Amino acid sequence: MTEQSSTKAIIVFDIDGVVRDVSGSYRRAMADTVEHFTEGAYRPTPLDIDQLKSEGIWNNDWEASQELIYRYFETHSYSREQLQLDYNAIVAFFQSRYRGLDPHNWTGYICNEPLLLHPSYLEELTKAEIPWGFFSGATRASATYVLEKRLGLKSPVLIAMEDAPGKPDPTGLFATIHLLESCGSKENHKSIPVIYVGDTVADMYTVEKSRVLEPTRTWIGVGILPPHVQETATRRDAYTETLLTAGASIVLSNVQQLSPLKIEELLGI
């Protein structure tokens, strides 16, 4: 048996809500931004943000912030044409909160993101001959910060915001898989199942679209419950159902529960 044919699956991870807890960083920056551009009149709750993201098309937090601002003013009889929000100003304000004001020495919310996995988990996958990489809507700088500076990974396979269209477009997922496959044997790629691990509806929709575009390969979506939805049983159960409805094969409370044994169970090995 060749080394490649022994590969059980390829795993691609989202980052936000899977590798790191962004409830106090990205989501806090989003709430700050909406509050700022509504002149303090509206600060979205975590549930407000979850409801927006459950629509499956707001993976980009800058665009999501702009959308929440627009929707607030629409409830007060303003049209989008009247408002003409400055998207670049929204992005700049968001980044001032998330990264901080110094572009060379980040001091913002990103510095305090709790990690949701340990490097030893990824080592376990490698020992089980399971290739892994990352496809995230985060900027490359932000994703590299957590993967290399915080987790200590050496040049991991990564497709970030600047590299592909936003989810649920699967272009970035395909690109990640291609990079992982190019690192190994050239044999039998299409027969290796792909597992995409994410925490949002958009992530699960990405798997569904991949299945449509490349039906000869097995695609499995694994949903992860971000920490902020696990605070109450009601929210946890509702979020679980949302991910399952969006196409997740299974929903876990932490990514490290997706062990090599659990992967074999998913694959029916």
Side-chain angles (χ1 to χ4, degrees):
M1 182 178 289
T2 66
E3 180 180 351
Q4 181 67 21
S5 63
S6 67
T7 300
K8 301 178 184 70
I10 292 171
I11 297 191
V12 181
F13 299 98
D14 181 30
I15 293 177
D16 301 334
V18 175
V19 175
R20 60 181 171 189
D21 179 1
V22 295
S23 58
S25 55
Y26 269 125
R27 284 168 172 264
R28 184 180 176 189
M30 187 186 302
D32 287 355
T33 302
V34 175
E35 184 175 44
H36 175 78
F37 284 92
T38 60
E39 298 181 343
Y42 170 51
R43 183 178 181 85
T45 66
L47 185 58
D48 292 338
I49 295 171
D50 283 342
Q51 288 175 335
L52 180 73
K53 287 185 172 286
S54 72
E55 296 175 14
I57 57 173
W58 303 109
N59 193 65
N60 182 313
D61 287 339
W62 301 334
E63 294 175 356
S65 298
Q66 178 177 252
E67 183 65 17
L68 286 172
I69 297 165
Y70 270 131
R71 291 188 187 187
Y72 167 77
F73 281 111
E74 283 176 335
T75 65
H76 292 76
S77 301
Y78 289 91
S79 69
R80 299 187 181 217
E81 291 71 24
Q82 286 176 294
L83 293 169
Q84 292 292 312
L85 294 175
D86 183 344
Y87 180 69
N88 290 331
I90 291 171
V91 172
F93 184 87
F94 185 107
Q95 294 295 77
S96 75
R97 290 294 196 268
Y98 181 65
R99 293 187 182 181
L101 296 174
D102 184 345
H104 305 294
N105 180 31
W106 292 358
T107 58
Y109 300 153
I110 188 175
C111 299
N112 301 311
E113 293 171 331
L115 297 177
L116 300 175
L117 64 74
H118 193 276
S120 61
Y121 165 69
L122 298 172
E123 293 168 8
E124 182 183 5
L125 295 179
T126 299
K127 288 177 183 176
E129 298 185 330
I130 299 172
W132 48 269
F134 303 90
F135 168 42
S136 172
T139 63
R140 176 161 285 274
S142 172
T144 299
Y145 179 88
V146 67
L147 297 179
E148 298 189 6
K149 184 170 183 178
R150 298 287 308 283
L151 283 172
L153 304 180
K154 304 299 182 185
S155 302
V157 169
L158 167 67
I159 296 294
M161 176 192 286
E162 299 90 336
D163 307 317
K167 292 176 278 189
D169 187 310
T171 302
L173 181 55
F174 290 148
T176 310
I177 295 163
H178 176 73
L179 288 173
L180 289 168
E181 289 174 336
S182 68
C183 296
S185 166
K186 301 296 182 183
E187 295 179 31
N188 205 23
H189 287 338
K190 301 300 183 186
S191 67
I192 301 174
V194 171
I195 298 173
Y196 186 48
V197 187
D199 70 316
T200 66
V201 168
D203 294 326
M204 299 306 106
Y205 284 176
T206 301
V207 175
E208 296 291 327
K209 289 178 179 292
S210 299
R211 189 176 292 123
V212 170
L213 292 174
E214 197 174 299
T216 57
R217 192 195 287 267
T218 297
W219 299 90
I220 299 173
V222 172
I224 302 297
L225 296 173
H228 75 275
V229 306
Q230 299 188 52
E231 295 170 358
T232 68
T234 300
R235 289 196 68 195
R236 181 192 66 223
D237 293 347
Y239 203 94
T240 297
E241 187 58 36
T242 295
L243 291 177
L244 290 171
T245 300
S249 296
I250 190 173
V251 177
L252 305 172
S253 59
N254 178 268
V255 63
Q256 295 181 139
Q257 293 172 344
L258 187 63
S259 64
L261 181 59
K262 178 64 72 175
I263 290 165
E264 289 185 359
E265 291 176 7
L266 275 173
L267 298 174
I269 297 175

